[in-house]
């Protein structure tokens, strides 16, 4: 993990006498050298992913990047990722992108990172803190950008991975790539089946994708198509008594669901002297289905949605003696549509947005200063022909602005200080506006004043980054299960009274020996209401402290790693008043991996939750609504590179 606050650090396993390969980042939505990395960024390289042996992108972000993850309700590997203590709305406050195309949903669901083949990933960039200038709404906690590998001229490569493990886990992945003098083709396929830890929690997932592109003479054009199909059984939540009696139990034996996602994207780049033009167009179609059986009977619910994105941008670079100036201007146009289909709802929702942004950065030696602004207009509407009246229909236009100012300065040979200030925003999505206290009245946009500063000390062998941050939020959008809904139900999506996130982040790495390195991180987050009826109370589902450490060893054909994570106590999901008699318990988990390479083969044994700790990270009620995490799991894998 390369933790960066204005200076670049190399891969953890690079020998001292070997030159460090440049790490490419996308601080301005264009590729650049690693000294242009934005403040608060962590870069995970393909080499680190390969060494760690993780089998999906979400796990790489959690295990290598030190990001806290929360188990979802249906048992896939798509954990909710929380960068800055946003709890239940972490997914809606983090923008996740693949090669510049948003993967984040305009619904209350997690981004399907499991649909991205891990073998195709070149690097993962994790930027903590407000990033709305470049990436728009929903980036208050930060962004996670997955950059896929670009082809090497006149080369061919392939990888096949087979695995089997606890709880009936079986998987097979295949990735192939070939380049003919700049014309390249890649294909990938994956199949995963698992009974998972709990009863009625079987998962089946198939991924298939590929891309065709051509590059040469300062230009690149291409197309990519990907498809993911998930089918899962849903075990439901447990009360504390049920959890303590048997955490693997389920009381929803007939509940199930599925998610189908199809993506297609076109992209192009062209350099003309000091100018560089880039553009992406992408379309994502998603079908979600749920089948639930309860005391009220059987309920089948289907939604179909389509999201389109068009993002042209232009960069101009100029050199004035020792000063380098970079100006980026761009436009983002997006549209999302969704239709629901059930006996009680035929709701349609739509969101259109258009944004213009500009960012200018000045660099001189080890000093950087950047300023950016964004203006975005949203048109949101919804209607349901099956509703008794039109009271729940809405349409509204609104315009929001974002800005940020950031800089860094090398104050010594091995020390860099950095700072960032700005404003970010997010708007309520289709699900949130569809269930409010006043039907037909949209929630107000959420805004946040963001501030961060810190320093990085060290060199290519060892480094420490310290970051202090604060987010002051107004009209934060969240589901409050304690309010009385006029429809006779308990709970609704609301705008909260003013809240705040503030804390400190520490990231450390050191090369203990040529064959041994250590990575560690610690985060303390204080998430509270600033005013209102809950003034001073803690925000729910936000652990105050998280810490992780990972030790990596490699010698000849042998490699091994062992890691541990500690998560402190946190408030239950309904405990807005902080009056629940207990908090969600803290926990420590340990994972490890050993691998041996023989010719083109790698055989590995991976262990997750080696201590077989019983714990949970998701609980919606006070000692209820609990979704247990999995117990000890062992996975045997065989990888063949050709």
């Amino acid at each position: 993990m390369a933790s960066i606050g204005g200076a670049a650090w190399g891969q953890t396993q690079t020998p001292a006498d070997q030159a460090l390969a440049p790490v490419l980042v996308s601080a301005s939505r264009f590729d650049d050298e690693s000294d242009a990395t934005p403040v608060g960024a962590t870069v995970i390289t393909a080499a680190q992913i390969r060494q760690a042996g993780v089998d999906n992108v979400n796990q790489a972000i959690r295990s290598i990047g030190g990001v806290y993850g929360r188990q979802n309700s249906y048992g896939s590997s798509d954990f909710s990722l929380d960068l800055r203590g946003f709890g239940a709305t972490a997914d809606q406050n983090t923008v996740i992108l693949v090669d510049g195309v948003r993967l984040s949903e305009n619904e209350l669901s997690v981004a399907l990172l499991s649909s991205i083949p891990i073998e195709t990933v070149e690097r993962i960039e994790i930027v903590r803190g407000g990033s709305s200038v470049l990436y728009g709404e929903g980036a208050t906690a930060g962004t996670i950008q997955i950059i896929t590998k670009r082809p090497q001229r006149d080369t061919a490569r392939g990888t096949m991975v087979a695995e089997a493990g606890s709880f009936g886990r079986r998987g097979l992945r295949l990735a192939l790539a070939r380049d003919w003098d700049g014309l390249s083709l890649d294909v990938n396929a994956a199949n995963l089946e698992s009974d998972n830890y709990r009863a009625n929690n079987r998962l089946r997932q198939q991924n298939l994708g590929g891309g065709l592109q051509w590059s040469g003479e300062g230009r690149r054009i291409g197309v990519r198509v990907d498809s993911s199909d998930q089918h899962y059984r849903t075990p439901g939540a447990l009360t504390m008594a049920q959890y303590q009696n048997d955490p693997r139990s389920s009381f929803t034996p007939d509940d199930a669901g599925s998610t189908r996602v199809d993506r297609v994207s076109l992209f192009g780049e062209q350099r003309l002297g000091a100018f560089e033009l880039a553009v992406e167009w992408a379309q994502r179609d998603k079908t979600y289905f749920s089948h639930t059986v309860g005391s009220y009977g059987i309920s089948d619910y289907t939604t179909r949605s389509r999201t389109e994105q068009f993002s042209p941008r232009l960069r101009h670079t100029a050199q004035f003696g020792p000063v380098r100036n970079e100006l980026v201007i761009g436009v983002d146009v997006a549209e999302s549509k969704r239709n629901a289909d059930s006996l009680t709802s035929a709701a349609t929702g739509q969101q259109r947005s258009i944004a213009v942004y500009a960012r200018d950065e000045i660099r001189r030696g080890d000093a950087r200063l950047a300023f950016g602004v964004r203006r975005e207009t949203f048109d949101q509407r919804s209607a349901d022909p099956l509703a008794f009246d039109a009271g729940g229909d809405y349409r509204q236009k609104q315009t929001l602005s974002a800005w940020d100012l950031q800089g860094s300065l090398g104050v010594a040979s091995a020390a860099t200080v950095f700072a960032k200030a700005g404003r970010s925003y997010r708007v309520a999505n289709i699900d949130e506006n569809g269930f409010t206290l006043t039907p037909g009245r949209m929630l107000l946009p959420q805004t946040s004043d963001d501030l961060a500063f810190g320093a990085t000390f060290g060199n290519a062998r060892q480094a420490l980054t310290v970051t202090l941050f604060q987010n002051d939020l107004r009209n934060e959008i969240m589901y409050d299960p304690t309010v009385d809904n006029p429809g006779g139900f308990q709970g609704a999506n609301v705008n909260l009274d003013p809240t705040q996130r503030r804390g400190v982040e520490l990231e450390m790495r050191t090369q203990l020996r040529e064959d041994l390195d250590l990575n560690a991180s610690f985060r303390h987050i204080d998430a509270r209401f600033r005013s209102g009826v809950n003034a001073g109370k803690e925000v729910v589902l936000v652990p105050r402290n998280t810490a992780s450490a990972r030790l990596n060893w490699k010698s000849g054909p042998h490699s091994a790693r062992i890691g541990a994570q500690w998560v402190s106590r946190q408030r239950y999901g309904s405990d807005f008043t902080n009056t629940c008699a207990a908090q969600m318990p803290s926990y420590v988990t340990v994972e490890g991996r050993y691998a041996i390479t023989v010719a083109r083969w790698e055989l590995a044994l991976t262990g997750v939750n080696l201590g077989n700790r019983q714990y949970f990270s998701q609980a919606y009620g006070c000692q209820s609504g609990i979704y247990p995490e999995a117990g000890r799991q062992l996975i045997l894998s065989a990888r063949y590179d050709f």
Side-chain angles (χ1 to χ4, degrees), residues 74-139:
Y74 49 89
S76 79
S77 56
D78 296 303
F79 281 53
S80 174
L81 300 171
D82 197 343
L83 294 182
R84 282 268 167 93
F86 279 85
T89 61
D91 298 301
Q92 285 69 51
N93 283 281
T94 302
V95 171
I96 297 178
L97 308 105
V98 180
D99 293 331
V101 177
R102 287 177 74 116
L103 193 67
S104 302
E105 303 286 358
N106 189 29
E107 303 165 288
L108 289 177
S109 58
V110 299
L112 293 181
L113 286 169
S114 61
S115 66
I116 304 169
I118 191 69
E119 286 78 19
T120 68
V121 175
E122 178 64 30
R123 66 190 185 276
I124 302 171
E125 303 166 11
I126 304 169
V127 179
R128 294 175 173 86
S131 302
S132 285
V133 166
L134 289 178
Y135 298 107
E137 75 93 15

Side-chain angles (χ1 to χ4, degrees), residues 581-593:
Q583 295 186 38
M584 293 170 57
S586 64
Y587 58 87
V588 176
T589 57
V590 178
E591 63 174 8
R593 182 179 190 263

Side-chain angles (χ1 to χ4, degrees), residues 474-517:
R474 291 172 299 280
N475 297 316
E476 180 174 356
I477 301 167
M478 186 179 290
Y479 178 76
D480 185 348
T482 66
V483 298
D484 293 325
N485 191 301
F489 301 99
Q490 192 80 8
N493 296 302
V494 301
N495 289 116
L496 300 180
D497 291 324
T499 55
Q500 183 181 79
R501 310 294 194 281
R502 61 181 176 182
V504 59
E505 299 170 335
L506 305 176
E507 289 189 334
M508 182 272 292
R509 59 172 183 75
T510 180
Q511 195 80 34
L512 301 173
R513 301 184 323 207
E514 295 305 316
D515 62 347
L516 190 67
D517 72 87

Side-chain angles (χ1 to χ4, degrees), residues 139-176:
T140 296
T143 61
I144 299 174
Q145 172 110 246
I146 296 95
I147 308 297
T148 59
K149 294 177 179 177
R150 293 195 177 184
Q152 304 286 327
R153 277 192 177 270
D154 297 314
T155 60
R157 68 175 186 272
T159 299
M160 182 176 65
V161 181
E163 62 180 30
S166 307
F167 315 131
R169 182 184 178 97
R170 304 173 300 281
L172 181 65
R173 305 194 305 272
L174 178 66
L176 304 170

Side-chain angles (χ1 to χ4, degrees), residues 112-401:
L112 293 181
L113 286 169
S114 61
S115 66
I116 304 169
I118 191 69
E119 286 78 19
T120 68
V121 175
E122 178 64 30
R123 66 190 185 276
I124 302 171
E125 303 166 11
I126 304 169
V127 179
R128 294 175 173 86
S131 302
S132 285
V133 166
L134 289 178
Y135 298 107
E137 75 93 15
T140 296
T143 61
I144 299 174
Q145 172 110 246
I146 296 95
I147 308 297
T148 59
K149 294 177 179 177
R150 293 195 177 184
Q152 304 286 327
R153 277 192 177 270
D154 297 314
T155 60
R157 68 175 186 272
T159 299
M160 182 176 65
V161 181
E163 62 180 30
S166 307
F167 315 131
R169 182 184 178 97
R170 304 173 300 281
L172 181 65
R173 305 194 305 272
L174 178 66
L176 304 170
R178 180 73 168 92
D179 181 272
W180 299 271
D181 192 28
L183 178 65
S184 62
L185 173 69
D186 70 271
V187 295
N188 61 82
N191 183 79
L192 175 65
E193 296 187 18
S194 176
D195 294 332
N196 279 318
Y197 176 66
R198 296 183 59 194
N200 191 46
N201 199 197
R202 188 184 182 206
L203 169 71
R204 292 182 292 116
Q205 180 168 343
Q206 294 84 36
N207 299 332
L208 182 64
L212 178 67
Q213 61 179 291
W214 175 82
S215 59
E217 300 180 358
R219 67 177 60 95
R220 185 172 75 105
I221 58 175
V223 59
R224 179 156 204 92
V225 179
D226 296 284
S227 177
S228 180
D229 197 8
Q230 290 184 343
H231 295 266
Y232 40 82
R233 310 290 299 182
T234 49
L238 301 178
T239 66
M240 179 59 74
Q242 293 167 341
Y243 167 75
Q244 291 175 338
N245 181 61
D246 181 6
R248 303 187 65 176
S249 62
S250 170
F251 297 89
T252 58
D254 299 311
D255 289 5
S258 65
T259 303
R260 170 71 184 238
V261 176
D262 297 295
R263 296 190 301 267
V264 58
S265 60
L266 304 173
F267 53 86
E269 300 172 4
Q270 175 69 61
R271 293 184 181 180
L272 297 170
F275 291 91
E276 185 175 356
L277 175 66
V279 63
E280 291 113 12
W281 173 86
Q283 177 178 293
R284 182 181 74 236
D285 291 293
K286 175 182 176 182
T287 301
Y288 165 80
F289 170 75
S290 69
H291 174 82
T292 57
V293 180
S295 57
Y296 48 81
I298 297 175
S299 175
D300 288 336
Y301 183 72
T302 302
T303 62
R304 297 176 178 85
S305 60
R306 168 170 290 184
T307 300
E308 293 184 74
Q309 173 186 327
F310 178 62
S311 300
R313 57 194 180 277
L314 179 70
R315 175 168 71 169
H316 178 264
T317 56
Q319 195 76 32
F320 305 99
V323 177
R324 181 179 186 269
N325 187 82
E326 176 191 63
L327 173 64
V328 175
I329 58 175
V331 176
D332 287 327
V333 181
E335 181 177 32
S336 298
K337 298 179 180 179
R338 192 187 73 169
N339 299 311
D341 183 9
S342 73
L343 293 177
T344 59
S345 175
T348 61
Q350 180 175 319
Q351 175 178 302
R352 294 176 178 173
S353 65
I354 181 168
V356 179
Y357 63 90
R359 180 182 185 273
D360 191 76
E361 178 172 313
I362 301 171
R363 276 184 260 170
R364 178 171 180 169
D366 56 3
R368 296 171 54 207
L369 182 65
F371 176 71
V373 293
R374 183 185 186 95
R375 187 78 167 167
E376 187 164 12
T377 298
F378 297 88
D379 182 358
Q380 296 175 291
R381 66 184 73 178
S382 179
D384 189 348
L386 294 185
F388 291 108
D389 55 50
D393 299 348
Y394 62 79
R395 180 175 183 182
Q396 180 174 308
K397 287 187 177 181
Q398 52 191 338
T399 300
L400 299 171
S401 299

